[in-house]
Amino acid sequence: MKSIKVLAIDGGGIRGIIPAIILAELQKRLGKNLDKAFDLIAGTSTGGIIALGIGTAANSGQPYTPDELLNLYVENGPTIFKKNILTPEKELLLPKYSPDGLEKVLAEFFQTTEFGSALTPLLISSYDLQGQIPFFFKSHRIARDPSYNWNVTNIARATSAAPTYFPPLHLIRGSADYALVDGGVFVNNPSMAAYAEARNLYPDAADFVVVSVGTGDRQDRIKYAQAKDWGLVGWAKQIVPVFMDSVSESVDYEMSLMPGCSYHRLQVENLQAQEADMDDVTAANLTNLQSTAKQYVADQAEELDAICSELNEGRGSDMPGIGR
């Protein structure tokens, strides 16, 4: 019996450039759209946007290609993370950025696409502040609960509402009332959540292949002397990258130990400090991120070959007896 194929994409703001380039190479090698290669696609934050782009019919009835998603970041990054002279002072008391630029870009990109247009099961993470619980958007839930057919623009906005960067999304559906923030607060690397969801979605499957694509491992180590006197203000600038990185790395460890699972982690390990910020949209950094990702793809040719070899056997959910 074929294995179930799962794709999981990390959060990381503008560093979404990295998984976009890695996935473009993967799609090129496979010779088919990624929704045809995976039984489940999961994403958090910027990875959630990518997952929605490659996994729904948002592009005039077709999915976007990873190359088109790369252009989304390169062309619209400065609009999403728009700074002004008041930004440094503002971020101490308010979200660093207005959501207007992000919402404008997402609305133009996804337009009126509904979640029900998902081309393969999608799992997009967010966190509900009002309920104090993880909130997962699941496209495969729509079949039994049509009210779950959310607007994709809203899902993308919810999953990318990074604390301190953007305000939460207030989402109301009937009697349900949510205050949603970036899923990176608990599952920045969504591999484990995706694996658990795939096991639930395909209970008859015995073997799983999980391809996890990161946005780069930051190298800006924080020394004791720097952190020992931090209070609220000191931690405010560091807490988001610290908890997002720690969550990603712990999931990476856990997934490597899962039985019956072939786990592949595609992660740039030497991301330099100047590339690490989630919101550095200077022309130089946009170029650096692309160069770093392209070099990583070239260096990981053998690993990409191994992944494609497993994916080329086809989706497990196409087998009789396995389905949603």
Side-chain angles (χ1 to χ4, degrees), residues 226-274:
Q226 295 174 264
K228 67 183 180 69
D229 295 322
W230 283 351
L232 287 175
V233 174
W235 271 106
K237 291 187 175 183
Q238 296 293 337
I239 191 63
V240 172
V242 166
F243 69 62
M244 286 187 173
D245 285 353
S246 61
V247 166
S248 291
E249 289 157 6
S250 62
V251 167
D252 192 27
Y253 169 74
E254 293 161 358
M255 284 301 304
S256 68
L257 301 177
M258 287 296 105
C261 178
S262 176
Y263 179 62
H264 299 272
R265 178 66 166 163
L266 296 173
Q267 174 73 303
V268 174
E269 296 181 352
N270 59 344
L271 199 65
Q272 300 305 302
Q274 65 268 26

Side-chain angles (χ1 to χ4, degrees), residues 128-205:
D128 179 25
L129 294 175
Q130 296 185 165
Q132 291 289 291
I133 56 173
F135 188 99
F136 288 101
F137 294 94
K138 304 178 182 182
S139 65
H140 39 287
R141 182 173 171 177
I142 297 170
R144 65 176 186 275
D145 184 1
S147 69
Y148 216 69
N149 188 20
W150 308 88
N151 182 283
V152 168
T153 299
N154 285 336
I155 299 175
R157 171 68 173 86
T159 192
S160 59
T164 76
Y165 290 86
F166 296 106
L169 175 67
H170 190 199
L171 194 59
I172 299 174
R173 174 64 64 88
S175 61
D177 190 319
Y178 308 100
L180 299 174
V181 297
D182 194 318
V185 302
F186 74 102
V187 65
N188 199 52
N189 175 350
S191 299
M192 181 60 76
Y195 173 65
E197 188 68 21
R199 292 201 68 95
N200 183 60
L201 190 56
Y202 306 109
D204 297 329

Side-chain angles (χ1 to χ4, degrees), residues 8-283:
I9 313 165
D10 283 18
I14 196 61
R15 284 159 35 206
I17 285 172
I18 294 173
I21 288 175
I22 293 172
L23 291 173
E25 178 65 18
L26 198 60
Q27 180 163 306
K28 176 183 176 182
R29 287 167 175 256
L30 290 170
K32 58 186 173 184
N33 290 340
L34 295 176
D35 65 280
K36 303 298 184 184
F38 290 97
D39 302 282
L40 174 72
I41 298 176
T44 291
S45 192
T46 197
I49 294 173
I50 293 173
L52 290 165
I54 64 176
T56 67
N59 186 16
S60 301
Q62 299 293 322
Y64 283 102
T65 67
D67 281 329
E68 289 169 325
L69 287 155
L70 172 62
N71 290 336
L72 166 71
Y73 289 104
V74 174
E75 294 175 4
N76 297 288
T79 299
I80 295 171
F81 298 106
K82 186 176 182 180
K83 296 181 176 69
N84 58 48
I85 59 173
L86 298 177
T87 299
E89 289 75 20
K90 175 185 175 183
E91 65 179 312
L92 293 176
L93 299 173
L94 297 168
K96 189 174 182 178
Y97 299 103
S98 164
D100 294 347
L102 173 62
E103 292 174 354
K104 177 177 182 292
V105 170
L106 293 177
E108 290 176 352
F109 194 72
F110 291 112
Q111 300 183 23
T112 59
T113 304
E114 294 184 343
F115 205 25
S117 74
L119 303 167
T120 193
L122 301 178
L123 180 74
I124 311 298
S125 65
S126 186
Y127 186 84
D128 179 25
L129 294 175
Q130 296 185 165
Q132 291 289 291
I133 56 173
F135 188 99
F136 288 101
F137 294 94
K138 304 178 182 182
S139 65
H140 39 287
R141 182 173 171 177
I142 297 170
R144 65 176 186 275
D145 184 1
S147 69
Y148 216 69
N149 188 20
W150 308 88
N151 182 283
V152 168
T153 299
N154 285 336
I155 299 175
R157 171 68 173 86
T159 192
S160 59
T164 76
Y165 290 86
F166 296 106
L169 175 67
H170 190 199
L171 194 59
I172 299 174
R173 174 64 64 88
S175 61
D177 190 319
Y178 308 100
L180 299 174
V181 297
D182 194 318
V185 302
F186 74 102
V187 65
N188 199 52
N189 175 350
S191 299
M192 181 60 76
Y195 173 65
E197 188 68 21
R199 292 201 68 95
N200 183 60
L201 190 56
Y202 306 109
D204 297 329
D207 299 305
F208 294 79
V209 175
V210 178
V211 179
S212 175
V213 187
T215 57
D217 186 13
R218 297 157 53 96
Q219 297 298 306
D220 51 341
R221 309 306 185 204
I222 300 172
K223 298 184 181 300
Y224 169 75
Q226 295 174 264
K228 67 183 180 69
D229 295 322
W230 283 351
L232 287 175
V233 174
W235 271 106
K237 291 187 175 183
Q238 296 293 337
I239 191 63
V240 172
V242 166
F243 69 62
M244 286 187 173
D245 285 353
S246 61
V247 166
S248 291
E249 289 157 6
S250 62
V251 167
D252 192 27
Y253 169 74
E254 293 161 358
M255 284 301 304
S256 68
L257 301 177
M258 287 296 105
C261 178
S262 176
Y263 179 62
H264 299 272
R265 178 66 166 163
L266 296 173
Q267 174 73 303
V268 174
E269 296 181 352
N270 59 344
L271 199 65
Q272 300 305 302
Q274 65 268 26
E275 301 172 307
D277 289 342
M278 293 170 54
D279 59 341
D280 185 346
V281 291
T282 60

